[in-house]
Amino acid sequence: MRFLIWFIGLFSLAVGLTLFAQVNSGYALIFLPPWRLEISLNIFILLLIGSVIVLYLGLRMLAELGGLPERVRRYRLRQQEIASVQLEREARTAFYEGRFQRSERLASEAFAASPNDAAYAVNGLLAARAAHSMRDYAKRDAYFEQLQARLGEQHLATLMSMAELYLDERRYNEASQAIAAAREINPKLTAAMKIELRLRQRERNPDAVLKLIEQLTRSDALDAEQANHIRIAAYQQQLRQHPMSVRELKDWCRKVPEADRLNPQLAASIATQYQEQGEPALARETLAAAIDAEWNSELLEQYGVLGLRGEALTAQLQQAEQWLKQHPNDHRLLLTLGRLCYQRELWGKAQTYLEASIAVKPTAIAHAELARLLDQLEHTEQANLHYRASLSIALS
């Protein structure tokens, strides 16, 4: 239908122009001294239209020829960009395949052909990581230098990669400098804080670790269990690194949140510190509070060897007997009660508890404690049986 309309329209135009040419009998006079040219008006109109068309086409041709160098430049740039993208994809695939040498070579070619800063950064960082994976640290550092020369020393992606890779190489000073620069650019960047957390852990800097854990927890960058594990390890590191007097240790404990202070691992470390300072009563209070907060039978073994005397030992024994009402079949608790009764010279109760512990779960230490008690009671033959049982369990 469309073609038919165009066909009819063109023929109508041709008929109209023919009729106009037959009716139009005028002429055009062109006077250019000393010449005069007289031509038909119809021919003049055709020549005029033709001249306009020729002039238009000529100007378009000149414009196209004038813009040819720019179009060639854009074409080459586009081809270069396509080649760079293809090289980058192949390099990335090789990197994830573990073919680091091929990845570094392809990324280096893409790096050299990068048409813009974004592609330059991506390809340069990929090449640096591939070189690092091959342990070619000199080549990796050369890529970092080229990246910083073109993109500046405040390029965040480069700084983050430098921090991570220097940390992996154990170059802690350089990693710390890169992290500091990255955090100046974006102080709340959780990825930078995580890298710094790993760095401070390796540097054994518990104060910085605790500060970072608090920041990462507020931003939900770490799950609660992981954060708690790292925080307890940092507190234990503080105890190991900074020997404290009894007063200083008490002040330190008051600063630690109660939930962390009652953690079994940290409570055991605090109790050990009190014991070393000659304060077994404070060690007992620490362990008892932790056990009351969350039953942990492993703390019971430490609870039973604090070396208390007199009324303090009696209170310690009474506390353990209260726990027995709630946990009658805990072999460690029964062992602890046996030890405490032995210290109180309650020989019969001690033997009963130790035998009950062995009945619940035979252990080398329970047999050894019972053998020691029987030796004390001069039951040598029975003591030897338990010594042999203890040795057998230990060897197996």
Side-chain angles (χ1 to χ4, degrees):
M1 186 66 183
R2 202 172 196 181
F3 174 75
L4 182 60
I5 293 174
W6 274 99
F7 186 76
I8 295 173
L10 288 174
F11 268 90
S12 300
L13 180 61
V15 171
L17 290 175
T18 302
L19 294 175
F20 174 76
Q22 290 177 354
V23 173
N24 183 17
S25 58
Y27 64 91
L29 179 66
I30 300 175
F31 180 69
L32 187 63
W35 297 284
R36 321 175 32 154
L37 180 62
E38 186 177 313
I39 60 174
S40 168
L41 183 59
N42 294 329
I43 295 175
F44 177 77
I45 292 172
L46 291 174
L47 290 174
L48 183 62
I49 293 173
S51 299
V52 171
I53 293 173
V54 170
L55 180 62
Y56 172 76
L57 294 175
L59 291 175
R60 283 296 303 270
M61 184 178 294
L62 289 174
E64 291 294 324
L65 291 174
L68 187 61
E70 178 62 22
R71 285 200 303 279
V72 170
R73 189 189 68 80
R74 287 201 302 267
Y75 172 78
R76 289 179 176 175
L77 188 63
R78 189 164 58 251
Q79 292 299 113
Q80 183 181 6
E81 184 174 355
I82 293 171
S84 176
V85 169
Q86 183 62 30
L87 285 170
E88 178 195 338
R89 289 174 179 172
E90 293 179 5
R92 197 173 295 277
T93 300
F95 184 84
Y96 292 131
E97 290 173 346
R99 301 160 66 189
F100 301 120
Q101 186 173 4
R102 173 178 169 79
S103 176
E104 188 275 329
R105 178 175 57 79
L106 293 172
S108 178
E109 294 177 11
F111 184 54
S114 299
N116 53 58
D117 286 351
Y120 191 83
V122 170
N123 293 319
L125 292 174
L126 180 58
R129 286 183 176 274
H132 178 84
S133 298
M134 295 188 297
R135 307 183 69 81
D136 191 344
Y137 301 133
K139 185 175 288 187
R140 176 205 62 191
D141 292 343
Y143 285 122
F144 283 148
E145 290 175 4
Q146 294 178 63
L147 286 165
Q148 289 191 315
R150 175 166 171 175
L151 304 175
E153 295 185 355
Q154 296 300 309
H155 187 252
L156 184 58
T158 302
L159 290 172
M160 290 290 289
S161 295
M162 290 172 68
E164 183 179 355
L165 300 184
Y166 286 153
L167 176 60
D168 185 65
E169 195 190 348
R170 301 179 185 275
R171 291 168 58 179
Y172 297 143
N173 289 335
E174 291 89 340
S176 182
Q177 292 171 6
I179 279 294
R183 294 200 65 186
E184 282 183 8
I185 298 170
N186 190 339
K188 296 183 179 180
L189 185 61
T190 56
M193 286 191 282
K194 284 184 176 181
I195 295 176
E196 185 176 2
L197 176 61
R198 290 165 50 201
L199 173 62
R200 302 312 172 200
Q201 284 180 294
R202 294 190 182 184
E203 289 179 339
R204 301 182 184 276
N205 186 345
D207 297 335
V209 168
L210 290 170
K211 183 178 178 181
L212 287 165
I213 282 293
E214 183 180 355
Q215 294 173 340
L216 288 167
T217 303
R218 283 202 303 264
S219 60
D220 294 328
L222 288 176
D223 62 80
E225 184 178 355
Q226 184 182 14
N228 184 64
H229 176 75
I230 298 173
R231 186 165 50 247
I232 296 303
Y235 284 132
Q236 290 178 308
Q237 187 71 37
Q238 282 185 330
L239 288 173
R240 288 193 296 269
Q241 286 183 348
H242 307 292
M244 291 178 272
S245 65
V246 175
R247 183 175 180 179
E248 290 172 338
L249 186 56
K250 286 182 178 179
D251 293 339
W252 181 85
C253 288
R254 279 193 287 269
K255 295 176 184 178
V256 176
E258 184 179 12
D260 294 331
R261 194 169 61 249
L262 296 177
N263 177 275
Q265 294 177 339
L266 185 57
S269 298
I270 294 172
T272 300
Q273 289 284 326
Y274 277 131
Q275 278 188 277
E276 291 175 355
Q277 294 292 335
E279 291 289 342
L282 292 175
R284 185 190 75 81
E285 292 177 8
T286 301
L287 292 172
I291 293 170
D292 285 334
E294 179 183 353
W295 181 253
N296 187 289
S297 59
E298 293 181 1
L299 291 180
L300 291 168
E301 293 190 21
Q302 185 176 359
Y303 184 84
V305 293
L306 295 177
L308 292 169
R309 295 288 184 270
E311 293 182 1
L313 178 57
T314 301
Q316 184 183 14
L317 178 58
Q318 290 173 348
Q319 175 67 73
E321 288 176 337
Q322 289 295 321
W323 289 331
L324 186 62
K325 296 176 182 178
Q326 301 172 1
H327 306 278
N329 295 318
D330 191 304
H331 72 96
R332 287 192 177 93
L333 178 55
L334 292 166
L335 171 63
T336 297
L337 282 163
R339 284 172 163 172
L340 295 175
C341 289
Y342 182 91
Q343 294 170 32
R344 287 275 292 133
E345 299 183 357
L346 301 172
W347 313 122
K349 290 183 69 175
Q351 183 175 353
T352 300
Y353 282 132
L354 291 172
E355 288 174 348
S357 176
I358 293 170
V360 173
K361 183 178 180 179
T363 60
I365 192 168
H367 277 291
E369 290 287 349
L370 182 54
R372 183 173 66 131
L373 172 62
L374 293 171
D375 262 342
Q376 179 73 26
L377 300 175
E378 298 182 353
H379 297 163
T380 307
E381 185 175 348
Q382 295 180 34
N384 289 336
L385 289 175
H386 286 287
Y387 278 131
R388 285 195 292 271
S390 175
L391 180 61
S392 176
I393 295 173
L395 291 176
S396 64

